[in-house]
Structures are given as structure tokens and as C-alpha cells.
Amino acid sequence: QVQVVESGGGLVQPGGSLKLSCAASGSIFSINLMGWYRQAPGKERQFVAHITNSGSTNYADSVRGRFTISRDNAKNTVYLQMNGLKPEDTAVYYCIADLALTWSSGTMNYWGQGTQVTVSS
């Protein structure tokens, strides 16, 4: 059984910073891609950033230059450092891990339960 668990959300003032963490655990053979999505109230879930197991990164235009994604492969953990936060960054942030359970299985997406980030004065 695989678990994907986020942490680090909270309330922060505009211009402030937060760092989210997400750890995947369980019977995992390999993890390809890990990343973050977010969903604001009344809106669809949207891509934020992802990082491959070799360290290649991609960001949504709305966060590029402010957010930094990183990864610790030994710990099956991905991080999202968020600087220069804006009220429009307020959302539930979800972690995604694209992983394989065995050497012969294909990869599947596993989602975390989400962590709330609120940017407000």
C-alpha cells in the first residue's frame, strides 16, 4: 500500500514564504515524477510544478521565478519552496507521485490528501 502525505501548509501574509513537503511511502519500486497541483475554491485543479527523478523541472507560468521544486530521492520526498506569495496563491496544494510498485508494472499516479495554503493579511 502506498501513502503520499503532504505537510507544511498554513497561513502567511502576502510576500511571505512557505515550504511544503511531500513524502511517498510503502511498497514502492521506483518513482518517476513528483509534483504539485493546487485547487482554489470553485476552480479546477491546476498544475504548479513537477520534477523528474533526474532533476528536470517544469513550472506553471504563474509561479515561475517565485516557487522552487526540489527532491530527495533517497527519502522519496519532494519539496515546494514558495516565496513572494500572493493572495491568488491561496488554494489546497496536492502532491502527486508517478510511481511503479514492481519492476514489471507500469507507473500510476498517486495523490496526497492536500494541504491548505492561505495567503492573507
Side-chain angles (χ1 to χ4, degrees):
Q1 189 168 357
V2 173
Q3 284 191 314
V4 177
V5 180
E6 305 100 335
S7 61
L11 172 65
V12 64
Q13 292 187 340
S17 298
L18 275 177
K19 185 173 184 178
L20 305 182
S21 300
C22 169
S25 62
S27 182
I28 299 170
F29 175 74
S30 66
I31 303 179
N32 177 25
L33 188 136
M34 299 187 78
W36 295 91
Y37 282 71
R38 67 187 181 186
Q39 187 166 20
K43 296 188 176 181
E44 293 186 353
R45 191 172 298 189
Q46 61 176 197
F47 168 76
V48 176
H50 72 224
I51 183 168
T52 68
N53 55 9
S54 62
S56 296
T57 59
N58 191 26
Y59 296 91
D61 288 343
S62 59
V63 307
R64 188 175 289 113
R66 300 187 297 122
F67 292 9
T68 302
I69 190 169
S70 60
R71 178 170 172 171
D72 185 335
N73 289 333
K75 296 181 179 179
N76 289 342
T77 299
V78 64
Y79 306 95
L80 187 68
Q81 177 66 48
M82 304 184 293
N83 299 327
L85 282 161
K86 306 175 181 179
E88 51 264 42
D89 295 317
T90 296
V92 177
Y93 283 69
Y94 295 92
C95 177
I96 184 171
D98 180 44
L99 58 89
L101 301 182
T102 69
W103 69 272
S104 61
S105 67
T107 60
M108 287 182 60
N109 288 333
Y110 288 80
W111 291 89
Q113 80 289 350
T115 185
Q116 177 70 47
V117 171
T118 302
V119 184
S120 175
S121 55

